[in-house]
Amino acid sequence: MQVEARELTLNQDTNELQSLSPRDEFNQRLESNVHPPHWQNPTPSSRYNLVVIGGGTAGLVAAAGAAGLGAKVALIERGLLGGDCLNVGCVPSKAVIAAARAASSLRRGKEFGVTAPADVDVDFAAAMQRMRRLRSEISKHDSAQRFQQLGVDVYFGQGSFVDAQTLDVEGAKLIFKRAVIATGARAAAPHIAGLESVDYLTNETLFTLTELPRRLGVIGAGPIGCEMAQSFARLGSQVFLVEAEHGVLPREDRDAAEIVERALARDGVILRCCGKNLAVKGDDRRPRLTVDSHGSTFDEPLDKLLVAVGRKPNVEDLNLEAVGVEYDKKGVKVNDYLQTTNPRIYAAGDICSPFQFTHAADFMARIVIQNALFMGRAKASRLVIPWCTYTSPELAHVGLSESQAAQQGIDVDAITQSLSGVDRSVLEGEAEGFAKVLVKRGSDKILGATIVASLAGELISQVAVAMTHGLGLKKLANTIYPYPTQAEAIRKLGDQYNRTRLTPRIKSFLGAWLRWTR
């Protein structure tokens, strides 16, 4: 959904507190790890090799990596260490998705000859408690104590630049040689008539739910919207998914997105795409959603409304003007070396990247360590960044799409392997999907790929490895894969490429050779 985002009415500090609701033992354990209530900030060192503002993925990787190489590092976080990924993103969402897939598997039992109850009993409160328990266990990897043990000076509070070598944190002055801004981004909401009249959810508050909403509205059919729409439908909600453009996942390959759209429909998600005149009304703080879709007007009373579109960079209160760091509504401006407009200050992660993924933030932080501390010349443009939407089936992509190749004037050949021709997928009852790879015309050089499969997120990594290290489809075809696996789809793509090289002339020559050698 293409919308102009505005800041949420709740500020980040409020959202941080909300993400720790309910105050059970697991959220208290999470808090004790990622923002200990009685934490005492250290006395600043005389000078830091690197100060890192923001304790999400990019900040944590930069701090740990630099400290491990012997640098004196300060890490500053005003909210919860671990950032969106741990607290309100990847980790909690995948736990909810896992619960939803378990419910779906039970319902599908009959097609495998397994008798299951007609009505699957979903204990939503227990599923969410499991999520909170697992999140709290994972949080120890991002804990303040762990980073302190790694030799990092951990500060909680708002970091603000004083000048090109000084940062203020709660009155303490940190002198630095290099700095990295890794403050990330936060949920924002589109301009929708009446939205402020209701208590709506974002990814920052969704995972505080302890009761399943009977009727859930979801605005935005991007990755978060599709993942949560399908999951809540599988857990028992009646879900209405609204998208301004046609279909779902508008930025993905259309054939791939249509497979996901059909899967959502099978799980009971009601899609209102090409949505116009979207409006929300409040009734005793409960939302009512109206939208025009394909010539009809729909008026849906809801129990909860999830706004799953829009992000806003966290640039406020950093005093970037004082150090000449330029930024706009998309975030901090950086060059290919991840330097800001102040060469002493770098940025990494969602604050500066169009690829707002945990794994992208991780590798951008590695570039910052090389370039900021060791005069490296690593470039962000050289990163091969795959991504995955964790619906069922998953949709994963890496590199160029066909439309992007056309826009850049690159001639490509698309090679597609249907999962109906992959035995493991057939046996698992998951034959709807495909693996598609784009190669530069006239060669086996891989320029991009899209996979729709139950394990697409695992499979796309093989293509990413090949692209990163310059391995063509011929090399993949010559690799032995265990049988039967879904990964055979990748090898079969290589086989298809090899068959295209068997021209009539070559085939005639080989036939003549075989006849002569009989």
Side-chain angles (χ1 to χ4, degrees), residues 112-290:
F112 296 93
V114 177
T115 302
D119 294 322
V120 175
D121 181 24
V122 174
D123 186 338
F124 182 78
M128 297 301 279
Q129 184 185 69
R130 173 184 180 272
M131 176 273 291
R132 295 192 300 275
R133 174 175 59 81
L134 296 177
R135 180 176 61 179
S136 71
E137 292 175 5
I138 291 172
S139 71
K140 63 188 177 187
H141 302 298
D142 297 345
S143 69
Q145 291 87 349
R146 174 174 178 261
F147 276 78
Q148 185 182 58
Q149 292 168 2
L150 292 174
V152 176
D153 284 355
V154 179
Y155 295 83
F156 285 100
Q158 175 64 52
S160 179
F161 287 101
V162 177
D163 54 43
Q165 64 177 4
T166 311
L167 194 88
D168 178 274
V169 186
E170 303 298 315
K173 298 298 187 291
L174 281 59
I175 308 300
F176 63 86
K177 184 176 181 181
R178 297 286 186 270
V180 55
I181 302 167
T183 50
R186 62 187 181 275
H191 292 285
I192 298 174
L195 185 61
E196 292 297 340
S197 67
V198 301
D199 290 327
Y200 59 89
L201 301 167
T202 69
N203 72 291
E204 294 174 351
T205 51
L206 176 67
F207 303 109
T208 66
L209 293 178
T210 56
E211 182 178 344
L212 181 72
R214 188 175 61 87
R215 293 169 66 86
L216 174 68
V218 180
I219 297 175
I224 296 174
C226 286
E227 289 175 2
M228 292 299 98
Q230 184 181 50
S231 294
F232 274 75
R234 287 176 159 188
L235 293 171
S237 294
Q238 176 65 76
V239 179
F240 303 90
L241 178 60
V242 179
E243 170 57 48
E245 298 187 37
H246 184 72
V248 302
L249 300 173
R251 297 182 181 180
E252 300 287 358
D253 179 281
R254 295 325 306 151
D255 293 335
E258 286 174 6
I259 292 175
V260 173
E261 183 178 336
R262 291 195 293 270
L264 296 181
R266 285 195 296 270
D267 284 317
V269 175
I270 298 174
L271 175 64
R272 307 299 190 202
C273 65
C274 301
K276 308 293 182 185
N277 301 319
L278 177 62
V280 177
K281 298 178 181 178
D283 180 9
D284 294 330
R285 304 299 292 177
R286 296 177 65 184
R288 191 178 191 94
L289 187 149
T290 61

Side-chain angles (χ1 to χ4, degrees), residues 12 84 182-187 204 311-314 349-351 356:
Q12 179 162 337
D84 272 14
T183 50
R186 62 187 181 275
E204 294 174 351
R311 301 281 287 169
K312 185 177 180 67
N314 293 320
D350 292 2
I351 190 64
Q356 298 200 345

Side-chain angles (χ1 to χ4, degrees), residues 16-31:
E16 294 283 10
L17 294 174
Q18 286 188 332
S19 70
L20 294 179
S21 175
R23 297 291 294 175
D24 62 4
E25 62 177 300
F26 305 118
N27 274 340
Q28 290 180 50
R29 185 187 306 166
L30 173 70
E31 182 183 31

